[in-house]
């Protein structure tokens, strides 16, 4: 279960800077266990062009998981690299497809979800949800990657206020915490409540495509309205519980916590189905778990980090 | 397991009107399996006179659970005191609510407690109409929604139960209380640590639960499922969920006036729950405009 910390500058101001964070991200995604798919339009990260138009991507990569379920329940993760409302704001689009490869030009068939969706019928708005609000080159920015071939969790530009990009993908779980071939769980945020997305893309069932449930504009978990959960030396955190009609078993890739309860970037250990897992609190200055209707405006994300 | 309804007038204007609703609540709670505790000063609720002024509570009763934990261990006792009287005006019915693991000889609840919460009524104009109220419980739990169809400031809710182990059996160390008066946004949840008695965790506005906060105009229905989340106590960490109170989405169950029944599997057993109507559910369950309160109803 590798976990990596990388210093990758936040920089869309120059071609070299853009190529640097794109290729750095690509490298660490592969190191984290994902398999890069050879799609004929997949970019060569070292030759990708600088975004020339606002809210545009200059190229994409497609990755798959590398686990025992990939053969029968293939997962595809498309990542597009580009710029936000101005070309100097680093941005990505993430699309997750359950069971359907692309048409060779990077378009998915079947059931997919991801950062590009406002809801299940409004696909890929031009404006990327996962975009920095910062336009300048910021050299000292920590990026975190964690995965093992069955999941991926990423936090880019974590030191950049309203510049952090967080996303994760993993398989749905059964009540014992095991991966299932039912679907893929997706979650992402880039520092504002409006950018929060979580959802499930289901694999076809019985030869039939399965519709997607309503995409959530929140991270669904146990919320507290108080400024701290601390009591008797104990602190509460909540896993993300995907919703597809009813509440599904929790995802393993992130925790929700109250900002005051965890020190920023100090790894914490959390028992999960009798195994200790490590999570990295991303901090109050980076991504946020809040949504327009969350019970607490001080909720934050800790990403899986082992 | 008992679920019952009563229909009583929201009215303190006469002795008979006051006795009608107060004795209705009293008898309904006893019918669930709770018993009255020995305490000095408990008057006959069927003969007591109406409140004489705003804030006057002329009669009270102390109830206790009647389960094995209550009868075999004084350190795991649960007492609930209800005072019946008047709220902001003499004519406005109100219930004041206490919960504690201990009681003194005069009927006062001692130790860690929920103290004197005004959970029902007290601010809305009285009327001649009778409103349905819901009671659900057993010898070890109670959930009450009074006057749910009364306009928002008249309805109220309270529930008391023990904490639960992973298999749903009762835990002797925890009392979990949800209570509030509609309209004031004062629904509150509280974990009481009782065995041994310790300071309580900070009370929560509303209660922790998992909730869908997106697409408020759309139901959560997907295939055969819908969103239901029981309230979850906090004690530094999240404990096992409530048997008495939970949240649902307006779009999934809303039925004006009378609420709606649904069934869920909870702790491996089927339970019957009641989705309270928007009027009675206008508490702050969570800070989401489409969150509604539901109560166990069997």
């Amino acid at each position: 279960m590798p976990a990596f910390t990388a210093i990758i500058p936040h920089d869309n101001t120059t071609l070299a800077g853009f190529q640097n964070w794109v290729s750095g991200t690509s490298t660490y995604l592969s190191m984290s266990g994902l398999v890069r798919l050879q799609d004929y339009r997949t970019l060569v990260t070292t030759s990708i062009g600088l975004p020339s138009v606002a809210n545009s991507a200059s190229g994409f990569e497609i990755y798959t998981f590398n686990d025992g379920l990939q053969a029968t329940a293939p997962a595809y993760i498309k990542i597009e690299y580009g710029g936000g409302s101005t070309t100097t704001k680093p941005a990505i689009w993430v699309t997750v497809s359950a069971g359907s490869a692309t048409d060779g030009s990077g378009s998915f068939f079947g059931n997919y979800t991801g950062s590009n969706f406002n809801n299940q019928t409004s696909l890929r708005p031009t404006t990327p949800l996962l975009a920095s609000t910062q336009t300048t080159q910021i050299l000292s920015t920590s990026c975190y990657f964690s995965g093992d071939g069955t999941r991926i969790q990423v936090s880019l530009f974590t030191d950049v206020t309203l510049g952090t990009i967080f996303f994760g993908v993993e398989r749905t779980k059964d009540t014992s915490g095991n991966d299932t071939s039912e679907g893929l769980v997706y979650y992402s945020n880039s520092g504002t409540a409006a950018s929060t997305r979580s959802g499930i893309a289901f694999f076809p069932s019985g030869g039939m495509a399965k519709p997607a449930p309503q995409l959530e504009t929140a991270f669904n978990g146990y919320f507290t309205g108080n400024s701290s959960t601390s009591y008797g030396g104990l602190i509460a955190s909540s896993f993300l519980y995907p919703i597809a009609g009813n509440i599904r078993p929790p995802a393993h890739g992130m925790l929700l916590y109250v900002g005051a309860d965890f020190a920023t970037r100090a790894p914490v250990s959390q028992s999960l189905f009798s195994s200790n897992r490590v999570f990295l609190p991303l901090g109050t200055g980076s991504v946020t778990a809040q949504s327009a209707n969350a019970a607490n405006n001080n909720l934050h994300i800790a990403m899986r980090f082992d | 397991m008992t679920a019952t309804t009563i229909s009583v007038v929201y009215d303190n204007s006469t002795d008979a009107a006051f006795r009608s609703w107060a004795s209705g609540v009293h008898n309904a709670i006893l019918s669930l399996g709770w018993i009255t505790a020995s305490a000095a000063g408990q008057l006959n609720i069927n003969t007591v006179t109406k409140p004489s002024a705003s804030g006057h509570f002329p009669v009270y009763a102390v109830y206790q659970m009647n389960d094995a934990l209550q009868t075999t261990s004084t350190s795991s006792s649960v007492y609930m005191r209800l005072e019946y009287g008047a709220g902001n005006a003499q004519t406005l019915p109100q219930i004041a609510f206490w919960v504690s693991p201990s009681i003194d000889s005069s009927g006062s609840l001692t130790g860690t407690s929920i103290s004197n919460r005004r959970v029902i009524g007290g601010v809305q104009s009285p009327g001649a109409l009778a409103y349905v109220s819901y009671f659900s419980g057993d010898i070890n739990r109670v959930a009450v929604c009074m006057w749910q169809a009364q306009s928002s400031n008249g309805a109220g809710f309270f529930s008391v139960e023990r904490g639960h182990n992973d298999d749903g059996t009762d835990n002797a160390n925890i009392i979990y209380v949800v209570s509030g008066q509609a309209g004031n946004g004062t629904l509150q949840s509280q974990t009481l640590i009782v065995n041994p008695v310790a300071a309580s965790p900070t009370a929560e506005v509303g209660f922790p639960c998992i909730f869908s906060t997106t697409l408020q105009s759309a139901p959560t229905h997907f295939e055969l499922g819908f969103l239901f989340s029981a309230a979850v106590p906090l004690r530094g960490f999240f404990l096992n969920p409530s048997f008495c109170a939970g949240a649902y989405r307006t779009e999934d169950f809303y039925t004006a006036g009378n609420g709606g029944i649904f069934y869920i599997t909870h702790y491996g057993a089927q339970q019957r729950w009641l989705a309270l109507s928007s009027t009675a559910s206008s508490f702050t369950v969570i800070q989401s405009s489409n969150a509604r309160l539901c109560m166990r109803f069997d």
Side-chain angles (χ1 to χ4, degrees):
Chain A
M1 295 187 289
F4 301 99
T5 301
I7 305 298
I8 301 175
H10 168 287
D11 187 6
N12 262 26
T13 63
T14 66
L15 176 61
F18 179 63
Q19 289 178 341
N20 187 42
W21 76 259
V22 171
S23 62
T25 301
S26 176
T27 297
Y28 281 99
L29 289 174
S30 294
M31 291 172 63
S32 300
L34 297 185
V35 176
R36 193 166 180 264
L37 189 68
Q38 297 304 307
D39 189 289
Y40 79 84
R41 281 186 56 189
T42 296
L43 65 91
V44 177
T45 55
T46 53
S47 62
I48 187 173
L50 191 66
S52 57
V53 178
N55 297 319
S56 67
S58 296
F60 66 86
E61 297 179 303
I62 296 175
Y63 290 92
T64 69
F65 283 160
N66 187 23
D67 60 1
L69 290 174
Q70 183 67 26
T72 53
Y76 299 93
I77 304 165
K78 178 180 179 180
I79 301 175
E80 300 170 72
Y81 301 96
S85 57
T86 65
T87 58
T88 50
K89 296 176 179 176
I92 65 172
W93 290 253
V94 180
T95 308
V96 177
S97 174
S100 176
T102 77
D103 60 2
S105 62
S107 296
F108 283 127
F109 302 111
N111 195 351
Y112 40 83
T113 188
S115 69
N116 308 339
F117 303 89
N118 287 326
N119 58 51
Q120 64 188 120
T121 58
S122 177
L123 305 181
R124 201 189 185 293
T126 301
T127 303
L129 288 170
L130 297 180
S132 172
T133 63
Q134 308 299 327
T135 60
T136 58
Q137 181 193 61
I138 303 171
L139 294 177
S140 181
T141 61
S142 297
C143 301
Y144 302 99
F145 301 83
S146 176
D148 60 5
T150 68
R151 62 175 176 84
I152 185 71
Q153 284 77 39
V154 176
S155 177
L156 301 176
F157 315 128
T158 315
D159 305 287
V160 180
T161 300
L162 296 180
T164 304
I165 293 171
F166 164 78
F167 69 91
V169 185
E170 60 189 279
R171 296 192 183 277
T172 48
K173 303 295 189 290
D174 63 20
T175 54
S176 299
N178 302 310
D179 287 341
T180 76
S181 58
E182 186 182 25
L184 301 172
V185 179
Y186 171 80
Y187 35 88
S188 65
N189 177 278
S190 66
T192 64
S195 71
T196 305
R197 294 289 184 274
S198 64
I200 302 177
F202 284 107
F203 289 98
S205 177
M208 300 289 288
K210 195 171 181 179
Q214 297 283 355
L215 189 70
E216 295 284 332
T217 55
F219 295 138
N220 308 103
Y222 291 112
F223 295 113
T224 170
N226 292 329
S227 58
S228 173
T229 64
S230 178
Y231 177 80
L234 299 169
I235 289 171
S237 60
S238 174
F239 290 104
L240 169 74
Y241 291 80
I243 292 177
N246 48 21
I247 298 166
R248 301 302 175 101
H252 293 187
M254 60 171 283
L255 292 178
L256 303 170
Y257 69 97
V258 176
D261 283 349
F262 290 155
T264 297
R265 249 54 80 64
V268 295
S269 186
Q270 169 72 45
S271 178
L272 178 61
F273 291 103
S274 301
S275 296
N276 267 342
R277 304 302 188 198
V278 178
F279 291 84
L280 186 70
L282 295 177
T284 56
S286 52
V287 292
T288 173
Q290 73 189 51
S291 77
N293 293 294
N296 189 326
N297 290 329
N298 193 27
L299 288 171
H300 297 280
I301 297 164
M303 63 174 271
R304 180 80 173 271
F305 200 59
D306 58 17
Chain B
M1 298 190 298
T2 302
T4 187
T5 60
I6 63 172
S7 184
V8 288
V9 174
Y10 182 88
D11 186 11
N12 272 355
S13 60
T14 66
D15 290 341
F18 173 65
R19 291 167 188 158
S20 173
W21 72 260
S23 63
V25 174
H26 177 76
N27 293 329
I29 290 172
L30 295 180
S31 76
L32 304 178
W34 288 56
I35 59 176
T36 53
S38 298
Q42 294 187 85
L43 301 180
N44 185 337
I45 206 165
N46 297 308
T47 58
V48 71
T49 56
K50 66 184 181 182
S52 59
S54 63
H56 179 219
F57 293 83
V59 62
Y60 77 92
V62 179
Y63 309 89
Q64 65 182 56
M65 291 186 178
N66 193 25
D67 59 356
L69 287 172
Q70 182 91 25
T71 54
T72 61
S73 172
T74 56
S75 60
S76 300
S77 298
V78 180
Y79 296 94
M80 176 178 71
R81 172 173 167 141
L82 298 184
E83 294 190 358
Y84 303 91
N88 289 357
Q90 182 278 326
T91 54
L92 306 180
Q94 187 164 72
I95 291 177
F97 172 77
W98 279 256
V99 180
S100 174
S102 55
I103 183 175
D104 65 17
S105 58
S106 66
S108 297
L109 301 195
T110 57
T112 183
S113 62
I114 303 292
S115 179
N116 197 19
R117 276 184 62 76
R118 307 300 170 91
V119 293
I120 286 171
V123 294
Q124 183 66 25
S125 298
L129 294 176
Y131 296 98
V132 172
S133 301
Y134 299 98
F135 297 77
S136 172
D138 209 324
I139 55 176
N140 58 352
R141 62 177 171 85
V142 61
V144 175
C145 178
M146 285 293 296
W147 292 307
Q148 82 144 354
Q150 167 65 292
S151 62
S152 60
N153 291 333
F157 176 85
F158 62 87
S159 65
V160 183
E161 63 190 302
R162 297 189 185 279
H164 302 292
N165 301 314
D166 291 348
D167 61 0
T169 55
D170 282 343
N171 181 305
N173 306 326
I174 299 293
I175 305 172
Y176 186 54
V177 180
V178 178
S179 62
Q181 178 183 333
N184 290 340
T186 55
L187 194 71
Q188 181 186 83
S189 58
Q190 177 74 68
T191 305
L192 302 181
I193 313 299
V194 297
N195 185 17
V197 171
S200 301
T202 305
E204 295 280 329
V205 175
F207 50 72
C209 61
I210 298 171
F211 204 71
S212 173
T213 57
T214 188
L215 298 174
Q216 297 192 11
S217 61
T220 65
H221 287 156
F222 182 74
E223 297 183 319
L224 299 178
F226 61 87
L227 183 64
F228 159 80
S229 180
V232 172
L234 254 175
R235 184 193 186 182
F237 54 95
F238 293 107
L239 302 171
N240 289 313
S242 165
F243 270 21
C244 288
Y248 74 101
R249 277 173 54 115
T250 309
E251 295 82 1
D252 289 339
F253 285 106
Y254 175 67
T255 52
N258 295 319
I261 294 292
F262 64 93
Y263 293 84
I264 62 164
T265 299
H266 199 35
Y267 289 98
Q270 188 179 71
Q271 295 179 356
R272 186 172 184 250
W273 284 67
L274 175 66
L276 298 169
S277 73
S278 62
T279 299
S281 306
S282 59
F283 314 102
T284 302
V285 174
I286 64 170
Q287 291 172 16
S288 175
S289 60
N290 61 343
R292 293 288 179 264
L293 179 67
C294 54
M295 62 181 276
R296 177 87 176 269
F297 200 59
D298 59 16

